[in-house]
Amino acid sequence: MYDDNNIFAKILRKEIPCKPIYEDDKVFFFNDIKPQAKIHILAIPKMPVTDYNDFISKADNEMIKYFFDKINEVAKGQGLINSGFRIVTNNGKDANQEVPHFHFHILGGENLKGIK
Ligand code: 5GP
């Protein structure tokens, strides 16, 4: 079940500050507080979904396409299309998912060898 008090829910409600990259009524992108690469952005849908499984079960096709398109737009805006980037999501316990609001990590800005 979705926990309204998770960190990203608080960030969405502006109760906790962050460094925003892009926001509209459907999605929010902001810098990771502990970047694992020169560019490390978190991409979240504005939906109460805990993980990838929850998101893909509940989001309609329009939302799924919208989210992936925005990820690409943000990557493009960061100059990552030619240099390359990684998108990754941790789903659940064995993946060590820390924050139970579904998110993608967008990593880039340097060679990602050795970076998970
Ligand atoms: P997960 O392990 O759930 O896939 O990733 C959670 C990510 O959220 C981690 O990379 C962590 O650094 C980031 N994070 C945790 N707390 C905060 C916070 O308060 N603000 C921001 N911007 N990122 C956070």
Side-chain angles (χ1 to χ4, degrees):
M1 205 177 37
Y2 185 78
D3 171 12
D4 260 333
N5 283 319
N6 78 74
I7 296 164
F8 294 172
K10 289 179 181 174
I11 285 176
L12 277 178
R13 292 196 297 268
K14 318 289 184 208
E15 291 167 13
I16 293 179
C18 71
K19 291 188 176 148
I21 300 286
Y22 175 83
E23 179 169 20
D24 63 25
D25 59 329
K26 294 189 180 69
V27 297
F28 190 40
F29 291 67
F30 55 102
N31 281 323
D32 196 291
I33 205 167
K34 251 173 66 184
Q36 304 296 313
K38 275 191 187 142
I39 294 175
H40 187 170
I41 295 167
L42 298 168
I44 66 177
K46 290 187 174 178
M47 289 176 64
V49 286
T50 56
D51 56 18
Y52 172 74
N53 172 66
D54 201 18
F55 174 70
I56 213 71
S57 309
K58 291 177 180 159
D60 61 20
N61 287 350
E62 195 184 329
M63 179 63 191
I64 293 165
K65 166 95 171 105
Y66 188 85
F67 190 44
F68 277 97
D69 279 346
K70 280 296 166 199
I71 288 172
N72 202 54
E73 264 182 44
V74 167
K76 198 180 271 181
Q78 298 287 317
L80 298 179
I81 296 297
N82 288 332
S83 54
F85 61 100
R86 177 178 297 151
I87 51 176
V88 64
T89 188
N90 294 313
N91 191 114
K93 192 159 51 75
D94 280 356
N96 299 306
Q97 181 180 354
E98 185 190 319
V99 180
H101 181 118
F102 169 58
H103 52 281
F104 271 117
H105 299 254
I106 305 172
L107 298 152
E110 64 179 305
N111 190 283
L112 297 172
K113 196 175 175 190
I115 295 173
K116 281 192 194 159

